[in-house]
Amino acid sequence: MRIGVLTGGGDAPGLNAAIRAIVKKSEKYGYEVIGICRGWAGLLNLDTMDLKYKDIKDIIRRGGTILKTSRTNPMKLEDGIKRTCENFKKLGLDALIAIGGDDTLSVAAALSEAGLNVVGIPKTIDYDVPGTEFTIGFDTAVNTSMRLIENLKDTAESHDRVFVVEIMGRHAGWIALYSGLAAGADLILIPEEPFSIKEVTEFVKKKIEREGKGPIIIVVAEGALIKDYKGPITKDATVDQFGHVRLGGIGEFLAKEISKATGAETRACAPAHAIRGGPPTVRDRFISTRLGLAAVDLVKERKYGYMVALKGTEIVHVPLSEVTRKTKTVDKKLYEEAKVFFE
Ligand code: F6P
């Protein structure tokens, strides 16, 4: 048995733990593992590396992905799916384990439809893959975000300032909500609930009237939507092969509006990719390892077209076709619950 493994989309802490577990379990079964480099680009270009447990046994503590990654989408290239299938054969692969978020898994689902033996593992710091209570990287990203927000709180407190912290989260506000709540933010704005600038500036005004000067900490997800604005605030007009724009700028934008409307000294900070790196937390190492082991078991059972997922404390199997049907966004009820702190 010869298994290919790739990581696609944004990198995330815990990917190396999953790769390591895949290699370990495969070697136990006597299977060979080939690393496909730079996501789907590696299959299109036959860009591979050997993976032996003895060489990678220590990678569990490293963020990023030793396989490298990219946002290449074979479905957007002429003959992309056909070429991918041909190269799968050329490499002599019996199965492929694709580790990624909704984009990577949507390609995995298409390849599975086309007849390839594919297994998926959920990865994204954004946590927006449905069918699983764990995605690789989310736990590390929320912990890093929480610490960064707390750091900003110290300086905001010392200067009596308003701080707007822009946190990654394209379609879903999971990272902003978890880390903002954990760090004691005064207001959290997420893509699931569009807001008006007036609502935010009034919030700041009232809080200052009631409590004196700052500090006020506002956490905003990069993909948050302003009512009556067409779409999220973006860096530029370019889109990647999955049709995603480059988000960023809503924090700066809000900070300016707050300062203009309230006169309060306001600063913005966007940690951006800094929350996507660094050593993975225990949870990201532990569950990513379990998912990696389970993926190899799926291959052994020849149960293809599924994603391994966490449900409670159990690892379960979810059809890839179900996973890619929608995005897992923040539950309205959960956000309503948090609003008691936004007063
Ligand atoms: O992969 C998720 C994510 O971190 C999003 O939150 C963010 O919008 C995007 O990736 C950034 O992508 P890139 O690394 O291509 O700039």
Side-chain angles (χ1 to χ4, degrees), residues 10 71 124-126 168-170 222 246-247 273 276:
R71 295 194 185 276
T124 168
I125 64 162
D126 286 4
M168 276 190 170
R170 182 178 287 280
E222 61 174 359
R246 278 190 66 208
L247 296 174
H273 298 77
R276 223 164 70 181

Side-chain angles (χ1 to χ4, degrees), residues 50-248:
D50 288 339
L51 287 173
K52 298 273 177 287
Y53 188 69
K54 67 173 176 36
D55 303 323
I56 61 156
K57 60 177 187 290
D58 208 27
I59 61 171
I60 192 163
R61 57 196 167 117
R62 276 168 56 189
T65 162
I66 58 158
L67 295 178
K68 301 192 183 278
T69 186
S70 73
R71 295 194 185 276
T72 310
N73 182 359
M75 295 195 282
K76 278 283 150 68
L77 307 171
E78 217 188 301
D79 290 338
I81 292 288
K82 193 168 150 254
R83 258 167 67 206
T84 308
C85 292
E86 282 166 6
N87 286 348
F88 181 95
K89 286 203 191 92
K90 263 192 206 153
L91 289 170
L93 297 178
D94 298 293
L96 176 72
I97 300 176
I99 317 177
D102 49 355
D103 295 334
T104 305
L105 295 174
S106 67
V107 177
L111 289 171
S112 170
E113 283 264 301
L116 284 200
N117 299 336
V118 189
V119 167
I121 298 184
K123 170 271 348 172
T124 168
I125 64 162
D126 286 4
Y127 192 55
D128 55 1
V129 174
T132 180
E133 290 164 31
F134 175 89
T135 61
I136 296 177
F138 174 66
D139 192 61
T140 308
V142 285
N143 277 288
T144 307
S145 303
M146 178 191 73
R147 281 194 300 274
L148 291 172
I149 298 166
E150 283 177 343
N151 289 359
L152 295 169
K153 217 173 181 182
D154 287 345
T155 155
E157 230 161 55
S158 308
H159 290 262
D160 276 330
R161 278 174 177 159
V162 178
F163 247 96
V164 185
V165 194
E166 179 185 305
I167 293 287
M168 276 190 170
R170 182 178 287 280
H171 305 294
W174 293 109
I175 313 177
L177 183 62
Y178 268 62
S179 61
L181 202 77
D186 299 292
L187 182 64
I188 302 167
L189 303 164
I190 60 174
E192 291 81 349
E193 191 157 314
F195 58 90
S196 71
I197 293 167
K198 188 138 188 4
E199 278 160 6
V200 176
T201 55
E202 284 303 307
F203 168 84
V204 172
K205 264 190 206 155
K206 276 201 198 117
K207 201 159 175 67
I208 292 176
E209 266 165 32
R210 209 172 52 230
E211 297 171 16
K213 285 182 124 189
I216 297 175
I217 305 290
I218 299 174
V219 175
V220 59
E222 61 174 359
L225 300 166
I226 302 172
K227 280 180 198 158
D228 301 328
Y229 274 57
K230 239 171 124 204
I233 295 190
T234 60
K235 288 240 184 268
D236 51 46
T238 54
V239 287
D240 66 18
Q241 287 186 357
F242 287 92
H244 302 311
V245 287
R246 278 190 66 208
L247 296 174

